[in-house]
Amino acid sequence: MESDHLAFMKIAVSEAKKAVRIAEVPVGAVLVSGSGEILSRAHNQTIRMSDPTAHAEILAIRQAADKIHNYRLLNTYLYVSVEPCVMCMGAIVHARIAGVIYGADDPKWGAAGSVYDFIGDNRLNHQPVIIKGVLKEICRDLMQDFFKKKR
């Protein structure tokens, strides 16, 4: 299973690099079925689409839901280069995604334990499994390099 996590996270990192090439914050996401089929992949496009909801996670969720004709993405796993924000974690919970595997923590917006802990809130009707730190250094460096160049 760990080799699967690495392989899918490498795809998420590849998506994040696409975001860098279009001057978007480098976040990439891949949504995978329980059997290992890639249902969707996406990268941040908030600026390009003039859409504050066009985060990699949201775009991947939309594509996968459209592909399977169901907003409930049961038995799926979302790989994302950076810890999801509050908006994205809300969508993950609503979509009933089984697990979130991410690379770097987000100490400013993270909603999988860094700033907010959606998973620890038993009032929510669904709590996906969280695995953090997969390719952490690569994901963190991608974000840090992006913001160093912006400043």
Side-chain angles (χ1 to χ4, degrees), residues 1-74:
M1 189 66 160
E2 188 174 327
S3 65
D4 290 342
H5 290 331
L6 292 173
F8 291 127
M9 187 59 74
K10 286 178 183 177
I11 297 169
V13 168
S14 174
E15 286 293 322
K17 289 177 180 177
K18 289 180 185 178
V20 170
R21 290 194 290 273
I22 60 171
E24 296 275 2
V25 175
V27 179
V30 179
L31 193 66
V32 179
S33 73
S35 65
E37 174 192 0
I38 293 176
L39 298 174
S40 61
R41 58 178 77 194
H43 54 276
N44 274 6
Q45 295 189 60
T46 57
I47 297 166
R48 176 176 271 187
M49 297 175 81
S50 299
D51 179 355
T53 69
H55 289 197
E57 302 95 322
I58 299 292
L59 296 174
I61 289 168
R62 287 178 184 162
Q63 290 169 23
D66 187 52
K67 183 175 185 171
I68 68 166
H69 306 290
N70 193 339
Y71 78 96
R72 289 191 176 182
L73 300 169
L74 305 173

Side-chain angles (χ1 to χ4, degrees), residues 75 87 100 114 123 131 150:
N75 302 313
M87 174 183 67
V100 176
S114 291
R123 295 171 296 177
I131 298 171
K150 289 278 268 183

Side-chain angles (χ1 to χ4, degrees), residues 51-135:
D51 179 355
T53 69
H55 289 197
E57 302 95 322
I58 299 292
L59 296 174
I61 289 168
R62 287 178 184 162
Q63 290 169 23
D66 187 52
K67 183 175 185 171
I68 68 166
H69 306 290
N70 193 339
Y71 78 96
R72 289 191 176 182
L73 300 169
L74 305 173
N75 302 313
T76 61
Y77 298 86
L78 182 66
Y79 291 82
V80 61
S81 57
V82 176
E83 179 181 5
C85 71
V86 170
M87 174 183 67
C88 293
M89 282 303 297
I92 289 162
V93 169
H94 280 289
R96 314 297 195 278
I97 291 171
V100 176
I101 300 91
Y102 71 87
D105 290 334
D106 186 342
K108 293 185 179 182
W109 292 96
S114 291
V115 179
Y116 302 99
D117 187 9
F118 272 41
I119 307 315
D121 190 338
N122 292 326
R123 295 171 296 177
L124 298 175
N125 65 343
H126 176 71
Q127 286 88 25
V129 171
I130 302 292
I131 298 171
K132 64 181 190 172
V134 177
L135 297 181

